[in-house]
Amino acid sequence: MTASQTPREGTRAPDAPPALISGAGANVALLVVLFGSFMDLVDATIVTVAAPAMARDMGASDAQIQWTIAAYTLALGAGLITGGRLGDQYGRKRLFMIGLAGFMVTSALCALAVTPGMLIGMRAAQGLTAGIMVPQVFGVIRASFAPAERAKAFGAYGAVQGLASVTGPLLGGLLVEADLLDLGWRTIFWINVPLSILALAVGAKVLPESRSASTARLDLVGALLAASGILLLLLPIIQTETWGWGPAGYALLTAGLITLTIFLAYERRLAGRGGAPAFDPALLKIRAFAIGLSASLLFFGGIGSFFLTLSVYLQVGTGRTAWETGLVILPYALGSIITSGLGVALAAKAGRALLITGSLTIAASQFVLLAVIRDGSDPGYWLLALALFIGGLGLGLAAPLLVNVVLAGIPGRNAGAAGGVLSTVNQIGGAIGIAVLGRIFFAAVTGSTTGAPGLADYGHALSIVLVVSAVLYLVAGLVMLALPKTAAEHVDQ
C-alpha cells in the first residue's frame, strides 16, 4: 500500500481476519475467558453473604459495608463500554490478560485490607479491572471461534452467567463458615489469586489475539461521557437504601439520563464523520440487539434482588447460617446446569420459544415458592428446594440463549463494545432490581410489626417480592415475543 492509499486516521478499515479456533484448543480457550466472567459475577454477589463477618472484623458501619458492594458495581459499570472498545482496538487477548492480572492483584489487596476505607478503595479498583476483562469475553468468542462453535460458546457463557449468580451466595457461605487458615471472610478474595494465576498461564498459550482493523484514535470524549452517565445513573439507584429518594437522588438520575443522551448524540456524529466511537449507535438498529437489551434489563433485574431478599429471609427470618442458606440455594444451580445444555442444543430450531419458556418457568417458580412460605412458618429444606429447582430449570433455558440472541447479529469489529453494552445493561438491571425490590422488602418487614420482626414478617415481605418479580418475568416473556425465532448471525467476522 502506497502512502496515498493509506487509510486516513478516523476511517474504519475491514476487520483483520480472526484466528479461528476449534476442537480441544477452543474448549480450553473458552474455559479461560469464562473463568474471568464467572469470577466477576461471583465477586459481585459473594460480599453480600460475607458482609456481617466483614463488619464485625473491621468495625465497619452499615454504610461502609454498602459502599464495599457499591464501589465494585459502580466502577465495573463505568468501565465496561470503554473496556470493550479498548479490546476491539488494541487486542482482546491483551486486554483480557491485563484485566485478569489486575483483578488478581486487586483481589489480593482486598484480602489484605485493614480498614473499611482501604477495602472500599480496593473494591473500586477491582471493579475497574473487571470492566477491562469482562467485555473481552464477548470479543474473543465472537471473533475467534468458528461459526459452528460460536453459538455453543455463547450458550456456555450464558449458562455460566446464570450459574455464577447463584454460586456467589453458596461459595460465600462455604468460605466464611470454613474459616480456612483463620482467614475468615478474606478467603473470598484470596481464592481469586491462585485461580487467576492458572488462567493467566493457560490463557497466554491458548487464547488467540484478535482486534478491529480500525485506525481511529480511542474515543476519549465518548468514553468519559459513557462512564460519567453510567455513574450518575447507578449511584442514586445503588444508594437508595441509605439516601432514600430525595431531590438529590432524582437530580443525579436525571443528570445521568441527560449525559447518556448526549453520549449517544456525540457517538452518532462521530460515526457519521468516519470515526470509531466507543459505542456505535447504529448497533441499536439491529432488532435482536435492541429488543434483547430490553429483555436482559428485565430478566437480570429480577435475579440479584431475588437472591438478596431470599438470603435475608433464610438467615434472619428462619435463622439459617450462611452455609445452610447456600445449601438451600444449591438446587437452583443444579436446575440451571440440567437445562442449559438442552437450551443450547435446541436454540437453532426453537430459540425464542425456549427463551419465553424459561422466563415463564422462573415466574412459575416464584408462585410455587410463594405457596410454600405464605403460612408464615419455616417450610423446611425440601419444599424450598423444589421451588428453587424449578426456577433453576427456567434460568438454564433462558440465560444462555438470551446472550446468544442479543450478540449473534453484531459485526465482529464491534464485538467487544457490544458485549460491554450488554454487561452494562445487565448491571443496571441488577442494580435497579436490588434497589426497588430490596426497598419494598425491608419496608414490608418493618411495616408489618411494631416490635422486633419475626419469621412471619420476613415471609410476608418475601411474598410481596415474589409477586413483583414474577410479574417482571412475565413481562420479560412478553418482550421476548418480539425477538427473532432464532439467532441470525452477522456474516462480518
PDB file of all heavy atoms in Angstrom, residues 460-482:
ATOM      1  N   HIS A 460     -43.849 -12.504  54.950  1.00  0.00           N
ATOM      2  CA  HIS A 460     -44.776 -11.573  54.296  1.00  0.00           C
ATOM      3  C   HIS A 460     -44.036 -10.668  53.313  1.00  0.00           C
ATOM      4  O   HIS A 460     -44.492 -10.444  52.186  1.00  0.00           O
ATOM      5  CB  HIS A 460     -45.481 -10.736  55.366  1.00  0.00           C
ATOM      6  CG  HIS A 460     -46.248  -9.560  54.815  1.00  0.00           C
ATOM      7  ND1 HIS A 460     -47.411  -9.695  54.104  1.00  0.00           N
ATOM      8  CD2 HIS A 460     -45.976  -8.221  54.868  1.00  0.00           C
ATOM      9  CE1 HIS A 460     -47.847  -8.502  53.735  1.00  0.00           C
ATOM     10  NE2 HIS A 460     -47.001  -7.588  54.194  1.00  0.00           N
ATOM     11  N   ALA A 461     -42.869 -10.161  53.727  1.00  0.00           N
ATOM     12  CA  ALA A 461     -42.091  -9.273  52.862  1.00  0.00           C
ATOM     13  C   ALA A 461     -41.590 -10.007  51.630  1.00  0.00           C
ATOM     14  O   ALA A 461     -41.643  -9.480  50.504  1.00  0.00           O
ATOM     15  CB  ALA A 461     -40.906  -8.703  53.653  1.00  0.00           C
ATOM     16  N   LEU A 462     -41.119 -11.237  51.815  1.00  0.00           N
ATOM     17  CA  LEU A 462     -40.646 -12.010  50.664  1.00  0.00           C
ATOM     18  C   LEU A 462     -41.796 -12.337  49.722  1.00  0.00           C
ATOM     19  O   LEU A 462     -41.606 -12.366  48.495  1.00  0.00           O
ATOM     20  CB  LEU A 462     -39.969 -13.293  51.148  1.00  0.00           C
ATOM     21  CG  LEU A 462     -39.374 -14.189  50.050  1.00  0.00           C
ATOM     22  CD1 LEU A 462     -38.298 -13.438  49.264  1.00  0.00           C
ATOM     23  CD2 LEU A 462     -38.781 -15.466  50.648  1.00  0.00           C
ATOM     24  N   SER A 463     -42.983 -12.552  50.256  1.00  0.00           N
ATOM     25  CA  SER A 463     -44.138 -12.837  49.406  1.00  0.00           C
ATOM     26  C   SER A 463     -44.410 -11.693  48.441  1.00  0.00           C
ATOM     27  O   SER A 463     -44.721 -11.912  47.263  1.00  0.00           O
ATOM     28  CB  SER A 463     -45.373 -13.089  50.276  1.00  0.00           C
ATOM     29  OG  SER A 463     -45.203 -14.227  51.089  1.00  0.00           O
ATOM     30  N   ILE A 464     -44.296 -10.469  48.933  1.00  0.00           N
ATOM     31  CA  ILE A 464     -44.504  -9.298  48.070  1.00  0.00           C
ATOM     32  C   ILE A 464     -43.459  -9.264  46.956  1.00  0.00           C
ATOM     33  O   ILE A 464     -43.775  -9.034  45.782  1.00  0.00           O
ATOM     34  CB  ILE A 464     -44.453  -8.012  48.905  1.00  0.00           C
ATOM     35  CG1 ILE A 464     -45.588  -7.993  49.932  1.00  0.00           C
ATOM     36  CG2 ILE A 464     -44.537  -6.778  48.000  1.00  0.00           C
ATOM     37  CD1 ILE A 464     -45.530  -6.829  50.894  1.00  0.00           C
ATOM     38  N   VAL A 465     -42.206  -9.504  47.328  1.00  0.00           N
ATOM     39  CA  VAL A 465     -41.119  -9.510  46.338  1.00  0.00           C
ATOM     40  C   VAL A 465     -41.356 -10.596  45.298  1.00  0.00           C
ATOM     41  O   VAL A 465     -41.138 -10.388  44.094  1.00  0.00           O
ATOM     42  CB  VAL A 465     -39.764  -9.721  47.034  1.00  0.00           C
ATOM     43  CG1 VAL A 465     -38.663  -9.979  46.015  1.00  0.00           C
ATOM     44  CG2 VAL A 465     -39.412  -8.513  47.889  1.00  0.00           C
ATOM     45  N   LEU A 466     -41.810 -11.762  45.714  1.00  0.00           N
ATOM     46  CA  LEU A 466     -42.053 -12.866  44.786  1.00  0.00           C
ATOM     47  C   LEU A 466     -43.123 -12.513  43.767  1.00  0.00           C
ATOM     48  O   LEU A 466     -42.990 -12.822  42.575  1.00  0.00           O
ATOM     49  CB  LEU A 466     -42.457 -14.116  45.568  1.00  0.00           C
ATOM     50  CG  LEU A 466     -41.363 -14.773  46.417  1.00  0.00           C
ATOM     51  CD1 LEU A 466     -41.942 -15.895  47.253  1.00  0.00           C
ATOM     52  CD2 LEU A 466     -40.230 -15.286  45.543  1.00  0.00           C
ATOM     53  N   VAL A 467     -44.179 -11.861  44.199  1.00  0.00           N
ATOM     54  CA  VAL A 467     -45.238 -11.470  43.268  1.00  0.00           C
ATOM     55  C   VAL A 467     -44.717 -10.451  42.254  1.00  0.00           C
ATOM     56  O   VAL A 467     -44.943 -10.580  41.047  1.00  0.00           O
ATOM     57  CB  VAL A 467     -46.449 -10.891  44.034  1.00  0.00           C
ATOM     58  CG1 VAL A 467     -47.461 -10.302  43.056  1.00  0.00           C
ATOM     59  CG2 VAL A 467     -47.105 -11.970  44.883  1.00  0.00           C
ATOM     60  N   VAL A 468     -43.991  -9.441  42.752  1.00  0.00           N
ATOM     61  CA  VAL A 468     -43.459  -8.406  41.857  1.00  0.00           C
ATOM     62  C   VAL A 468     -42.466  -9.007  40.862  1.00  0.00           C
ATOM     63  O   VAL A 468     -42.506  -8.711  39.663  1.00  0.00           O
ATOM     64  CB  VAL A 468     -42.790  -7.277  42.668  1.00  0.00           C
ATOM     65  CG1 VAL A 468     -42.126  -6.272  41.733  1.00  0.00           C
ATOM     66  CG2 VAL A 468     -43.814  -6.577  43.554  1.00  0.00           C
ATOM     67  N   SER A 469     -41.555  -9.854  41.350  1.00  0.00           N
ATOM     68  CA  SER A 469     -40.546 -10.433  40.453  1.00  0.00           C
ATOM     69  C   SER A 469     -41.185 -11.397  39.461  1.00  0.00           C
ATOM     70  O   SER A 469     -40.736 -11.503  38.305  1.00  0.00           O
ATOM     71  CB  SER A 469     -39.453 -11.135  41.257  1.00  0.00           C
ATOM     72  OG  SER A 469     -39.977 -12.191  42.038  1.00  0.00           O
ATOM     73  N   ALA A 470     -42.238 -12.114  39.870  1.00  0.00           N
ATOM     74  CA  ALA A 470     -42.933 -12.990  38.935  1.00  0.00           C
ATOM     75  C   ALA A 470     -43.541 -12.177  37.791  1.00  0.00           C
ATOM     76  O   ALA A 470     -43.465 -12.578  36.616  1.00  0.00           O
ATOM     77  CB  ALA A 470     -44.020 -13.782  39.660  1.00  0.00           C
ATOM     78  N   VAL A 471     -44.137 -11.042  38.130  1.00  0.00           N
ATOM     79  CA  VAL A 471     -44.679 -10.160  37.097  1.00  0.00           C
ATOM     80  C   VAL A 471     -43.561  -9.669  36.175  1.00  0.00           C
ATOM     81  O   VAL A 471     -43.734  -9.573  34.949  1.00  0.00           O
ATOM     82  CB  VAL A 471     -45.417  -8.967  37.745  1.00  0.00           C
ATOM     83  CG1 VAL A 471     -45.803  -7.935  36.689  1.00  0.00           C
ATOM     84  CG2 VAL A 471     -46.657  -9.453  38.495  1.00  0.00           C
ATOM     85  N   LEU A 472     -42.400  -9.396  36.750  1.00  0.00           N
ATOM     86  CA  LEU A 472     -41.252  -8.948  35.963  1.00  0.00           C
ATOM     87  C   LEU A 472     -40.875  -9.987  34.914  1.00  0.00           C
ATOM     88  O   LEU A 472     -40.620  -9.653  33.748  1.00  0.00           O
ATOM     89  CB  LEU A 472     -40.074  -8.686  36.906  1.00  0.00           C
ATOM     90  CG  LEU A 472     -38.919  -7.829  36.394  1.00  0.00           C
ATOM     91  CD1 LEU A 472     -39.385  -6.404  36.145  1.00  0.00           C
ATOM     92  CD2 LEU A 472     -37.773  -7.836  37.408  1.00  0.00           C
ATOM     93  N   TYR A 473     -40.848 -11.260  35.307  1.00  0.00           N
ATOM     94  CA  TYR A 473     -40.500 -12.314  34.364  1.00  0.00           C
ATOM     95  C   TYR A 473     -41.601 -12.547  33.337  1.00  0.00           C
ATOM     96  O   TYR A 473     -41.326 -12.919  32.188  1.00  0.00           O
ATOM     97  CB  TYR A 473     -40.185 -13.610  35.108  1.00  0.00           C
ATOM     98  CG  TYR A 473     -38.842 -13.569  35.791  1.00  0.00           C
ATOM     99  CD1 TYR A 473     -38.739 -13.560  37.174  1.00  0.00           C
ATOM    100  CD2 TYR A 473     -37.672 -13.527  35.047  1.00  0.00           C
ATOM    101  CE1 TYR A 473     -37.506 -13.508  37.802  1.00  0.00           C
ATOM    102  CE2 TYR A 473     -36.435 -13.478  35.665  1.00  0.00           C
ATOM    103  CZ  TYR A 473     -36.355 -13.476  37.047  1.00  0.00           C
ATOM    104  OH  TYR A 473     -35.131 -13.419  37.657  1.00  0.00           O
ATOM    105  N   LEU A 474     -42.855 -12.334  33.725  1.00  0.00           N
ATOM    106  CA  LEU A 474     -43.938 -12.431  32.757  1.00  0.00           C
ATOM    107  C   LEU A 474     -43.811 -11.343  31.696  1.00  0.00           C
ATOM    108  O   LEU A 474     -44.008 -11.599  30.496  1.00  0.00           O
ATOM    109  CB  LEU A 474     -45.288 -12.317  33.475  1.00  0.00           C
ATOM    110  CG  LEU A 474     -45.675 -13.497  34.384  1.00  0.00           C
ATOM    111  CD1 LEU A 474     -46.963 -13.172  35.138  1.00  0.00           C
ATOM    112  CD2 LEU A 474     -45.854 -14.770  33.567  1.00  0.00           C
ATOM    113  N   VAL A 475     -43.471 -10.129  32.116  1.00  0.00           N
ATOM    114  CA  VAL A 475     -43.274  -9.031  31.168  1.00  0.00           C
ATOM    115  C   VAL A 475     -42.077  -9.316  30.277  1.00  0.00           C
ATOM    116  O   VAL A 475     -42.108  -9.062  29.063  1.00  0.00           O
ATOM    117  CB  VAL A 475     -43.091  -7.692  31.921  1.00  0.00           C
ATOM    118  CG1 VAL A 475     -42.735  -6.573  30.936  1.00  0.00           C
ATOM    119  CG2 VAL A 475     -44.347  -7.335  32.690  1.00  0.00           C
ATOM    120  N   ALA A 476     -41.002  -9.856  30.863  1.00  0.00           N
ATOM    121  CA  ALA A 476     -39.824 -10.215  30.063  1.00  0.00           C
ATOM    122  C   ALA A 476     -40.205 -11.222  28.985  1.00  0.00           C
ATOM    123  O   ALA A 476     -39.750 -11.135  27.841  1.00  0.00           O
ATOM    124  CB  ALA A 476     -38.731 -10.789  30.961  1.00  0.00           C
ATOM    125  N   GLY A 477     -41.073 -12.180  29.341  1.00  0.00           N
ATOM    126  CA  GLY A 477     -41.533 -13.147  28.346  1.00  0.00           C
ATOM    127  C   GLY A 477     -42.307 -12.492  27.218  1.00  0.00           C
ATOM    128  O   GLY A 477     -42.164 -12.872  26.049  1.00  0.00           O
ATOM    129  N   LEU A 478     -43.104 -11.477  27.543  1.00  0.00           N
ATOM    130  CA  LEU A 478     -43.835 -10.753  26.503  1.00  0.00           C
ATOM    131  C   LEU A 478     -42.884  -9.999  25.579  1.00  0.00           C
ATOM    132  O   LEU A 478     -43.073  -9.985  24.354  1.00  0.00           O
ATOM    133  CB  LEU A 478     -44.824  -9.777  27.153  1.00  0.00           C
ATOM    134  CG  LEU A 478     -46.030 -10.392  27.855  1.00  0.00           C
ATOM    135  CD1 LEU A 478     -46.848  -9.311  28.550  1.00  0.00           C
ATOM    136  CD2 LEU A 478     -46.900 -11.161  26.866  1.00  0.00           C
ATOM    137  N   VAL A 479     -41.853  -9.371  26.147  1.00  0.00           N
ATOM    138  CA  VAL A 479     -40.857  -8.662  25.332  1.00  0.00           C
ATOM    139  C   VAL A 479     -40.139  -9.641  24.413  1.00  0.00           C
ATOM    140  O   VAL A 479     -39.846  -9.335  23.248  1.00  0.00           O
ATOM    141  CB  VAL A 479     -39.852  -7.920  26.234  1.00  0.00           C
ATOM    142  CG1 VAL A 479     -38.712  -7.332  25.405  1.00  0.00           C
ATOM    143  CG2 VAL A 479     -40.561  -6.827  27.028  1.00  0.00           C
ATOM    144  N   MET A 480     -39.859 -10.824  24.909  1.00  0.00           N
ATOM    145  CA  MET A 480     -39.146 -11.824  24.108  1.00  0.00           C
ATOM    146  C   MET A 480     -39.948 -12.274  22.887  1.00  0.00           C
ATOM    147  O   MET A 480     -39.372 -12.801  21.928  1.00  0.00           O
ATOM    148  CB  MET A 480     -38.801 -13.036  24.983  1.00  0.00           C
ATOM    149  CG  MET A 480     -37.750 -12.750  26.037  1.00  0.00           C
ATOM    150  SD  MET A 480     -37.573 -14.121  27.213  1.00  0.00           S
ATOM    151  CE  MET A 480     -36.330 -13.459  28.329  1.00  0.00           C
ATOM    152  N   LEU A 481     -41.273 -12.069  22.909  1.00  0.00           N
ATOM    153  CA  LEU A 481     -42.085 -12.399  21.735  1.00  0.00           C
ATOM    154  C   LEU A 481     -41.651 -11.608  20.508  1.00  0.00           C
ATOM    155  O   LEU A 481     -41.891 -12.037  19.370  1.00  0.00           O
ATOM    156  CB  LEU A 481     -43.564 -12.122  22.029  1.00  0.00           C
ATOM    157  CG  LEU A 481     -44.293 -13.118  22.932  1.00  0.00           C
ATOM    158  CD1 LEU A 481     -45.660 -12.580  23.304  1.00  0.00           C
ATOM    159  CD2 LEU A 481     -44.424 -14.471  22.231  1.00  0.00           C
ATOM    160  N   ALA A 482     -41.037 -10.435  20.728  1.00  0.00           N
ATOM    161  CA  ALA A 482     -40.607  -9.582  19.615  1.00  0.00           C
ATOM    162  C   ALA A 482     -39.226  -9.954  19.089  1.00  0.00           C
ATOM    163  O   ALA A 482     -38.757  -9.374  18.108  1.00  0.00           O
ATOM    164  CB  ALA A 482     -40.614  -8.115  20.058  1.00  0.00           C
TER     165      ALA A 482
END
